[in-house]
Amino acid sequence: MVARFVGKPAAMVYGMGFATNSTTLPALIGKGGLIISDSLNHSSIVAGARGSGAKVQVFQHNTPSHLEQVLREAIAEGQPRTRRPWKKIIVVVEGIYSMEGELCRLSEIVSVTQKYKAYIYLDEAHSIGAIGKTGRGVCEHDGVDPAKIDVMMGTFTKSFGSCGGYIAGSKELITYLKHVSPGHIYATSMSPPAVQQVISALKVILGEDGSDRGARKLAQVRENSNYFRQELRRMGCEVLGDENSPVMPFMLYNPAKIPAFSRECLKRNVAVVTVGFPATPLLLARARVCISASHTKEDLDLGLEVISEVSDMAHLKYFPQMESFSKVKSV
């Protein structure tokens, strides 16, 4: 079902999302190989890259021009000391960056990897089931043929409301990983209820449950996300991320404001996720809102009202408040 959904010939599942990245990357590449990773990739990718034994280089976040520069120099210089050609080069990116809410510039990055004949590994933990007309992720959103993506990774912990993760790719790739990936061989498999939850969610998204519920939910999550982001900006908060992304961090900056913001929101019956060091740089603390299709307009307005009140207390409105938000608030 996963392979059919993402548009790949084959797929395999893991019992844990973090382990999907951290145990697959070492199975794909080792000493003599090069991993070129986006500077803001998730810690599971960082763990997998470090554990692989391959040389790791970083390119500026979501910047295809810098990726091309890094690739060109790496190919020209070859391996350290010996200057031999790299055995393999893998470029690793995410569909939606979890602490930035930004969509990957996938079509441009794919063009660069194809030009230099590097493999591309795409982590769609936050984008699969959430963006694209039919929820098929950043490939659909950006108009990229999944055949151009060598390794497609995703998790079931976000859009599918379960646990675990998957790797999708060619039949040869999946057969190979089933024999060598420690996350598949040694770890616990997904439990039957968790598997059924994913199957049920996929059927809803695909419309195979006999209703249009999946299409309505996909439209609703986009509408809710864009509304909430727009209102946060109107109230004067500094919001990161792109339109249509259900992940929207807004900046707290001062680490001392993390507990203040979180506790004051909780006093008003709104639970928020706050993020600080080491997940983000020390002085770039933020709160991260993740919107779902199940949030009603009343839920969103209540959240906005509480965030506005607490932001006033903690001095988190870094931009002038627009008049339209005060009208929404008074209603």
Side-chain angles (χ1 to χ4, degrees), residues 65-80:
S65 58
H66 188 244
L67 168 62
E68 181 167 8
Q69 181 184 330
V70 171
L71 258 171
R72 191 191 300 120
E73 289 176 4
I75 292 168
E77 293 176 6
Q79 295 183 43

Side-chain angles (χ1 to χ4, degrees), residues 92-138:
V92 187
V93 294
E94 292 188 49
I96 293 179
Y97 291 88
S98 57
M99 289 302 156
E100 310 301 314
E102 291 179 6
L103 295 167
C104 177
R105 295 168 63 181
L106 188 64
S107 58
E108 297 169 70
I109 286 171
V110 166
S111 296
V112 173
T113 58
Q114 289 190 321
K115 180 179 178 181
Y116 292 92
K117 295 182 170 56
Y119 295 104
I120 183 164
Y121 182 112
L122 173 64
D123 176 338
E124 289 212 271
H126 289 270
S127 54
I128 195 68
I131 62 169
K133 188 177 180 182
T134 60
R136 284 174 166 83
V138 74

Side-chain angles (χ1 to χ4, degrees), residues 59 64 89 127 147 152 155 169 188 232 235 276-277 295 299 301 312:
F59 71 96
I89 299 176
S127 54
M152 297 181 79
T155 64
T188 305
L232 280 175
M235 71 170 69
F277 184 83
H295 285 122
D299 294 333
D301 286 339
D312 284 329

Side-chain angles (χ1 to χ4, degrees), residues 18-280:
F18 190 98
T20 307
N21 276 330
S22 60
T23 64
T24 297
L25 281 167
L28 292 175
I29 192 168
K31 192 175 180 182
L34 172 65
I35 294 174
I36 302 180
S37 180
D38 188 287
S39 62
L40 295 182
N41 273 341
H42 190 263
S43 62
S44 59
I45 294 172
V46 175
R50 286 175 176 168
S52 69
K55 172 79 173 171
V56 181
Q57 290 191 25
V58 172
F59 71 96
Q60 289 169 11
H61 171 58
N62 222 8
T63 309
S65 58
H66 188 244
L67 168 62
E68 181 167 8
Q69 181 184 330
V70 171
L71 258 171
R72 191 191 300 120
E73 289 176 4
I75 292 168
E77 293 176 6
Q79 295 183 43
R81 294 189 300 278
T82 65
R83 301 305 172 199
R84 289 175 180 165
W86 297 101
K87 293 179 180 177
K88 190 185 295 179
I89 299 176
I90 301 179
V91 174
V92 187
V93 294
E94 292 188 49
I96 293 179
Y97 291 88
S98 57
M99 289 302 156
E100 310 301 314
E102 291 179 6
L103 295 167
C104 177
R105 295 168 63 181
L106 188 64
S107 58
E108 297 169 70
I109 286 171
V110 166
S111 296
V112 173
T113 58
Q114 289 190 321
K115 180 179 178 181
Y116 292 92
K117 295 182 170 56
Y119 295 104
I120 183 164
Y121 182 112
L122 173 64
D123 176 338
E124 289 212 271
H126 289 270
S127 54
I128 195 68
I131 62 169
K133 188 177 180 182
T134 60
R136 284 174 166 83
V138 74
C139 283
E140 183 177 54
H141 182 274
D142 234 22
V144 174
D145 184 350
K148 294 180 179 179
I149 309 297
D150 300 291
V151 186
M152 297 181 79
M153 175 270 176
T155 64
F156 301 128
T157 54
K158 281 82 180 177
S159 299
F160 305 100
S162 185
C163 64
Y166 69 83
I167 294 287
S170 66
K171 288 182 180 178
E172 293 80 7
L173 171 73
I174 299 305
T175 301
Y176 169 76
L177 285 175
K178 283 179 178 177
H179 286 86
V180 301
S181 174
H184 177 74
I185 298 169
Y186 302 112
T188 305
S189 61
M190 290 175 69
S191 66
V195 171
Q196 184 57 56
Q197 166 64 26
V198 177
I199 291 171
S200 299
L202 277 168
K203 284 182 176 177
V204 169
I205 294 171
L206 288 165
E208 292 178 5
D209 62 336
S211 74
D212 65 343
R213 199 159 47 127
R216 284 190 283 110
K217 281 181 173 287
L218 286 164
Q220 192 64 52
V221 74
R222 280 191 290 271
E223 186 180 325
N224 285 355
S225 301
N226 292 335
Y227 171 74
F228 204 85
R229 179 181 289 101
Q230 182 183 45
E231 296 307 319
L232 280 175
R233 284 180 173 151
R234 281 177 173 171
M235 71 170 69
C237 292
E238 183 175 353
V239 189
L240 307 182
D242 296 323
E243 291 295 305
N244 297 328
S245 169
V247 179
M248 57 194 81
F250 58 96
M251 301 306 296
L252 308 181
Y253 287 113
N254 189 333
K257 292 184 179 183
I258 294 174
F261 181 77
S262 176
R263 290 168 188 170
E264 288 300 323
C265 284
L266 194 58
K267 279 183 190 176
R268 293 158 177 80
N269 298 319
V270 172
V272 295
V273 175
T274 49
V275 188
F277 184 83
T280 64

